[in-house]
Structures are given as C-alpha cells and as structure tokens.
C-alpha cells in the first residue's frame, strides 16, 4: 500500500469522529437554546399545558439527553432529518429542494474565484515589482478587507438598480431558461466569490514568485525554452500545489457565505430557508441545514486533500 493510499484512508477514517462531533455540537446547542419546539409546533396558538406535555412525550423531548442523541444519530444514519414542527414536512425533503440552488451558487462562485485568482496571481508574479503587480496587490488587499454583503450591496446599487443589467432578487431555474439562470446568479456569485478570489490571488502570487526564483527555472530559460513553456508546463503546475490546501477552507467560506448572500438576493436556497427556520423556532430544520452544510464542508476538504495528494509529485513518488 502506497503512502498516498494510507494517507487518504486515514483522512477518510478521521471524518467519522469529526462528523459525530459536529452532530453532537449542533445537537447540544439546539437542546440548550431558549426555543421550545413544543411552542413552535403550535405556531403561537394558545396550547394547553397538557397539549404541550403530550407533544414533548410523543417526540421524545422528555427522554434523557444521551438517549435523544442516540435516537437522533440513528435517524440521521437512515437519512431521516426529522420533521418540521412548523410545516409538518420532512426536513430531508426541504433540504433536497434547497440544496441544489446553494450548490449552484457555491460552484459558480468557486469557478469565478479560481479563474480570476489564477489570472491575477500569475500576472502579478510575472510583473513583480512593476505597476501591474502593484495594482493587483492593491485591488486584492481591498477585496480581502471588503465583506461579501457589502460587495453585494454595491453590485445591486450599481448594476441592478442603476444600470438595470441584472435583477435585484429572485431565481430562475436552469431548466426553464439557462440565460435567465445565469442572469439571476451572476451578482450573487460575484459578491460571494470576490473575497475568496482576492485571498487566492495573493496565495498564488506568493507561490508563483517562489517557483520563479528556483534554479530549474533559470536553467530552463538558459537552455532556450520559451517563457510560455517554462511557466505553463512547470512553474504554474508546481505553484498551484500549495494553494490547493487554502482552497478547501475557502470553499467552506463560500458555503457559509451563501447563507447571507441568498438572503440578500431572496434566493430560495439553504441560507434563506435556515434563516426562516431560525425565525420560526423550527429546531429540526435548523439542525438539518447546519449538519448538511457542515458535512459539505468536510467533504469538500476531503476532495481537496485528494487533489493535493494527486498533484504533489513528492507524495506520488513515495511507496
């Protein structure tokens, strides 16, 4: 068994206690929150004490906390996230409806961030110390400092309200109209990806500069290889290995930032549904949404680890 396979197997096994810990944390936070699921179930109606007691007994809310946690995990393993106490619908059904939109927004934002960061990072490194480098570093510094919701407000004011180029809110399914879908997600994706693109640009620039200063680059240039070949075939490939480790954390930021961005643009994804669930006191939905987002974050980091192991020639050469 190679080192790469062993490292990958170790990372996969480490996911089990990590996910159980996330589930435990969410479970404890929700159980000790001031929200009473029994009161939320009656939606502000004047329920009697007997009705509230009966609801708690039927839903196991009076069982000891360890037993409640075991039952909760057991149902999760069967794909059962519980039932909403407000809408009376399975939480898994709501997640299945809202998750695709959040994934679309996250992946579109990730694609934008990757394209922009690679172009700007490579350009900044190649023109190190000159005006393109100074300009890109200034822009990325501003992008890192600017929160996504502030960028979203500026984009709405400028391109949606001022220019009328994009809608201020709403969502169009790609099955109905692909141009309409792209139009409805462009501003949210730009706002979501801008801080990530700025951070990745700085990381890629630093990694590129380190590679460009190595001896093999000078040897290749001295041997008469065209700069495009040297940069594209060797430098860029080696320089993008380290930014992969940063990418996993940034994808987690995209998933978390989608909560705020979806609410601002009235997109019916995980974020808007979770905010509504918090306002309604719907603990089952909040638990389901948070656990799904956390599991997605863990899965993305596993994928990034796999990509890092595959892209790193030193790990591939070991046995």
């Amino acid at each position: 068994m190679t080192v790469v396979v062993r490292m990958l197997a170790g990372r996969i096994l480490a996911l089990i206690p990590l996910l159980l810990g996330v589930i435990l944390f969410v479970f404890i936070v929700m159980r000790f929150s001031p929200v009473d699921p029994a009161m939320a179930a009656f939606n502000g109606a004047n329920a009697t004490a007997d009705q509230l007691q009966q609801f708690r007994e039927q839903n196991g809310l009076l069982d000891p906390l360890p037993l409640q946690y075991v039952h909760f995990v057991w149902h999760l393993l069967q794909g059962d996230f519980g039932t909403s106490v407000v809408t009376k619908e399975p939480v898994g059904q709501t997640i299945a409806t809202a998750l695709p939109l959040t994934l679309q927004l996250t992946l579109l934002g990730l694609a934008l961030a990757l394209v922009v960061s690679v172009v700007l990072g490579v350009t900044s490194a190649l023109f190190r110390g000159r005006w393109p480098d100074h300009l890109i570093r200034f822009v990325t510094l501003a992008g890192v400092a600017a929160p996504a919701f502030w960028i979203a407000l500026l984009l709405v004011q400028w391109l949606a309200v001022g220019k009328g180029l994009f809608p201020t809110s709403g969502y169009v399914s790609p099955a109905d109209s692909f141009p309409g879908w792209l139009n409805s997600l462009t501003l949210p994706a730009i706002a979501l990806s801008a801080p990530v693109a700025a951070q990745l640009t700085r990381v890629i620039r630093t990694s590129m500069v380190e590679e460009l200063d190595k001896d093999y680059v000078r040897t290749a240039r001295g041997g008469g290889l065209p700069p495009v070949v040297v940069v594209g075939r060797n430098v860029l490939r080696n320089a993008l290995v380290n930014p992969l480790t940063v990418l996993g954390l940034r994808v987690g930021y995209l998933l978390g930032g989608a909560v705020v961005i979806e609410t601002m643009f009235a997109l019916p994804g995980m974020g808007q549904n979770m905010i509504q669930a918090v306002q309604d006191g719907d603990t089952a939905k909040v638990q389901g949404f948070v656990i799904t987002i956390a599991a997605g974050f863990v899965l993305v980091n596993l994928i990034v680890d796999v990509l890092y192991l595959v892209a790193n020639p030193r790990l591939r050469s070991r046995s």
Side-chain angles (χ1 to χ4, degrees):
M1 181 182 291
T2 64
V3 172
V4 174
V5 175
R6 288 200 298 270
M7 292 179 66
L8 180 58
R11 281 167 168 76
I12 294 176
L13 290 176
L15 293 183
I16 299 175
L18 179 60
L19 287 174
L20 288 176
V22 170
I23 294 171
L24 177 61
F25 176 77
V26 174
F27 175 83
I28 292 177
V29 169
M30 296 308 301
R31 289 302 181 274
F32 285 95
S33 69
V35 177
D36 186 354
M39 295 295 295
F42 289 94
N43 198 23
N46 294 324
T48 64
D50 291 338
Q51 289 175 319
L52 295 175
Q53 185 72 6
Q54 182 180 8
F55 178 87
R56 296 187 182 103
E57 291 177 355
Q58 291 176 346
N59 291 272
L61 297 177
L62 300 180
D63 295 337
L65 282 180
L67 183 59
Q68 291 186 44
Y69 177 69
V70 171
H71 288 164
F72 181 59
V73 174
W74 175 249
H75 286 293
L76 283 180
L77 292 176
Q78 302 176 66
D80 180 12
F81 288 85
T83 303
S84 168
V85 297
V86 177
T87 63
K88 314 304 179 185
E89 297 177 351
V91 175
Q93 179 178 333
T94 306
I95 293 175
T97 302
L99 183 59
L101 191 153
T102 300
L103 291 178
Q104 292 169 27
L105 177 59
T106 302
L107 292 176
L108 185 57
L110 177 62
L112 287 173
L114 287 176
V115 172
V116 171
S117 62
V118 170
V119 172
L120 293 183
V122 171
T123 303
S124 182
L126 293 177
F127 290 90
R128 177 177 26 168
R130 287 179 275 178
W131 71 264
D133 181 30
H134 295 312
L135 178 61
I136 292 173
R137 293 172 68 183
F138 174 78
V139 172
T140 54
L141 180 62
V144 170
F149 72 88
W150 184 76
I151 297 175
L153 289 175
L154 292 181
L155 291 174
V156 169
Q157 182 65 32
W158 178 36
L159 296 178
V161 177
K163 303 294 184 179
L165 299 177
F166 299 95
T168 58
S169 62
Y171 170 73
V172 177
S173 172
D176 297 332
S177 171
F178 181 79
W181 169 80
L182 191 61
N183 198 42
S184 65
L185 289 186
T186 297
L187 290 188
I190 293 175
L192 186 62
S193 65
V196 176
Q199 293 169 352
L200 283 178
T201 297
R202 298 175 70 85
V203 174
I204 291 173
R205 178 197 179 276
T206 301
S207 187
M208 281 286 298
V209 168
E210 292 176 354
E211 287 295 321
L212 289 170
D213 287 340
K214 291 184 176 179
D215 292 336
Y216 78 88
V217 177
R218 288 190 289 269
T219 302
R221 287 176 173 174
L225 286 178
V228 175
V229 176
V230 176
V231 173
R233 182 178 299 176
N234 301 109
V235 177
L236 183 59
R237 183 181 60 186
N238 295 333
L240 292 182
V241 173
N242 290 332
L244 279 176
T245 59
V246 181
L247 181 62
L249 298 175
R250 295 304 92 200
V251 174
Y253 168 85
L254 290 174
L255 285 170
V259 174
V260 177
I261 297 301
E262 286 176 1
T263 303
M264 294 185 65
F265 287 93
L267 300 174
M270 295 282 288
Q272 190 179 38
N273 277 276
M274 186 163 63
I275 296 298
Q276 186 62 48
V278 171
Q279 294 174 346
D280 295 338
D282 198 337
T283 55
K285 274 189 177 182
V286 174
Q287 287 178 159
F289 291 144
V290 172
I291 290 173
T292 301
I293 293 175
F297 176 78
V298 171
L299 180 61
V300 166
N301 277 273
L302 174 63
I303 295 174
V304 171
D305 285 343
V306 173
L307 293 176
Y308 181 78
L309 294 176
V310 171
N312 195 327
R314 288 173 296 181
L315 291 177
R316 293 203 311 268
S317 62
R318 295 176 186 174
S319 59

